[in-house]
Amino acid sequence: MPATDVTAADMTATQPRPVYVIGGGPGGLAVAAALRARGVRAVVVEKSGSVGASWRGHYERLRLHTTRRLSALPGLAIPRRFGRWVARADVVRYLEKYAEFHELELVTGVEVTRVERAAGGSDAAPADAAPGDGWVLHATGGRLLAARAVVVATGFNHTPAVPDWPGLDTYTGELLHAARYREPGPYAGRDVLVVGAGNTGAEIAVDLVEGGAARVRLAVRTAPHILRRSTCGWPAQRTGILVRRLPVRLVDRLAKPVAKASVPDLSAYGLPRPTTGLYSRVRQGAIPVQDVGLIAAVRAGRVEPVAAVASFDGGEVVLSDGTRISPDVVVAATGYRRGLEGLVGHLGVLDGRGRPLAHGARTAPGAPGLYFTGYTNPISGMLRELARDAERIARALARKKRA
């Protein structure tokens, strides 16, 4: 059935019960395609009006930090004309083509708000669901969707997170989360503070400088590891793939001399080398910053690293070193939450930080048939791992279909 042509009414009426995939981003589309290739019917449910919603909302400058060849999803290469580092708009085009090429069953404009087991005589359970058999999805409009299995793929960057800084509720200046930043035009000639030195914060800071902002400061809580995206044609992603299964301490030791040789010391500019190992930080969830202009901008004094934000006071921002500044705009590149609590938090499948206890082909104890993909941030590349997870999930579900 062609993508986007399935209605919610079709979903509730069609038998046998399909696998429902929640989320029409890269992870959800990849799983659906891999399942279809194995003869397992999958229906993708996407709350927005189109596939790739998060990619559509990212800032214009964004490009993949992973290579085109290592970022393709199962069954369809990314076109060579998109270049080695694929632009945001081209990622969206690829996802649209991917859904069309694989003829995925895709329902847009329907949000799944809660997933429940079909067991236990629940009032929500469909008539054909035996005890312990499958899942029930609560969707907008009071719909109840019967699924034999569920794949949750709502995305790593789901819910913008802003720290609960003291004084934030009475701050009189302009503040926006990085999720609302699109391009530098509105900030030309203005004093901007970017909070957060991850990849998003670093790229937005460079974008602002190149787009004519009068002053750009970058508030840094923990000095990031900075990598060249590519060295002599060798992409950092390939190194990440090679070392990801090596002992953490070994990778930390190997990375230190490489960083010293390839990345200049920016301590004099307020951005010292990290004191913790690169891979140790990755295992804690901090992916290295891939340099797309930050090093040059810092060395030229165009991006000014400053201390972390401690609080807000009226129209001022108070930094952790006691400095008070009054930027025209604050852009909070402070990350995202997974936002899974309302959907599956009652099922005992999340850890204390709201992350799935299991991902890929593994399922949490007591939740057979409930899968998660896309909730880790691997050093080997998010899209590459989404593709691999999709194949694993599809194989697991295909085996269960034959059993």
Side-chain angles (χ1 to χ4, degrees), residues 283-308:
R283 297 295 291 268
Q284 296 167 6
I287 294 297
V289 170
Q290 298 220 10
D291 178 47
V292 291
L294 179 66
I295 293 173
V298 169
R299 296 180 79 180
R302 302 179 72 194
V303 171
E304 307 168 46
V306 297

Side-chain angles (χ1 to χ4, degrees), residues 339-358:
L340 294 170
E341 289 81 2
L343 185 68
V344 296
H346 56 289
L347 297 172
V349 295
L350 304 179
D351 66 15
R353 296 173 60 186
R355 302 171 303 184
L357 293 170

Side-chain angles (χ1 to χ4, degrees), residues 5 23 81 125 136 159 171 174 190 202 278 295-296 326 333 351 353:
D5 285 350
R81 68 178 183 276
V136 173
T159 305
Y171 178 56
E174 181 180 347
R190 305 180 75 184
L278 183 150
I295 293 173
S326 300
D351 66 15
R353 296 173 60 186

Side-chain angles (χ1 to χ4, degrees), residues 311-324:
S311 63
F312 290 80
D313 185 9
E316 293 184 319
V317 181
V318 183
L319 304 181
S320 60
D321 62 2
T323 304
R324 288 174 173 263

Side-chain angles (χ1 to χ4, degrees), residues 129-143:
D133 178 24
W135 299 86
V136 173
L137 282 62
H138 294 249
T140 49
R143 303 176 182 91

Side-chain angles (χ1 to χ4, degrees), residues 229-378:
R229 186 168 63 177
S230 178
T231 302
C232 299
W234 178 266
Q237 180 190 8
R238 287 200 177 275
T239 302
I241 293 170
L242 291 174
V243 306
R244 66 173 308 205
R245 301 205 181 277
L246 294 178
V248 173
R249 290 183 180 179
L250 175 60
V251 178
D252 284 348
R253 287 198 300 269
L254 294 173
K256 187 174 293 186
V258 173
K260 286 185 177 180
S262 61
V263 177
D265 186 358
L266 301 176
S267 299
Y269 304 93
L271 199 59
R273 293 191 188 277
T275 57
T276 54
L278 183 150
Y279 205 27
S280 294
R281 291 283 300 280
V282 168
R283 297 295 291 268
Q284 296 167 6
I287 294 297
V289 170
Q290 298 220 10
D291 178 47
V292 291
L294 179 66
I295 293 173
V298 169
R299 296 180 79 180
R302 302 179 72 194
V303 171
E304 307 168 46
V306 297
V309 170
S311 63
F312 290 80
D313 185 9
E316 293 184 319
V317 181
V318 183
L319 304 181
S320 60
D321 62 2
T323 304
R324 288 174 173 263
I325 60 176
S326 300
D328 298 320
V329 184
V330 177
V331 179
T334 47
Y336 296 80
R337 292 184 291 105
R338 310 295 82 80
L340 294 170
E341 289 81 2
L343 185 68
V344 296
H346 56 289
L347 297 172
V349 295
L350 304 179
D351 66 15
R353 296 173 60 186
R355 302 171 303 184
L357 293 170
H359 72 277
R362 296 184 297 112
T363 58
L370 180 62
Y371 299 87
F372 295 87
T373 183
Y375 298 99
T376 60
N377 198 8

Side-chain angles (χ1 to χ4, degrees), residues 150-169:
V150 177
V151 181
V152 181
T154 52
F156 189 84
N157 295 338
H158 185 271
T159 305
V162 176
D164 187 20
W165 287 302
L168 179 60
D169 55 344

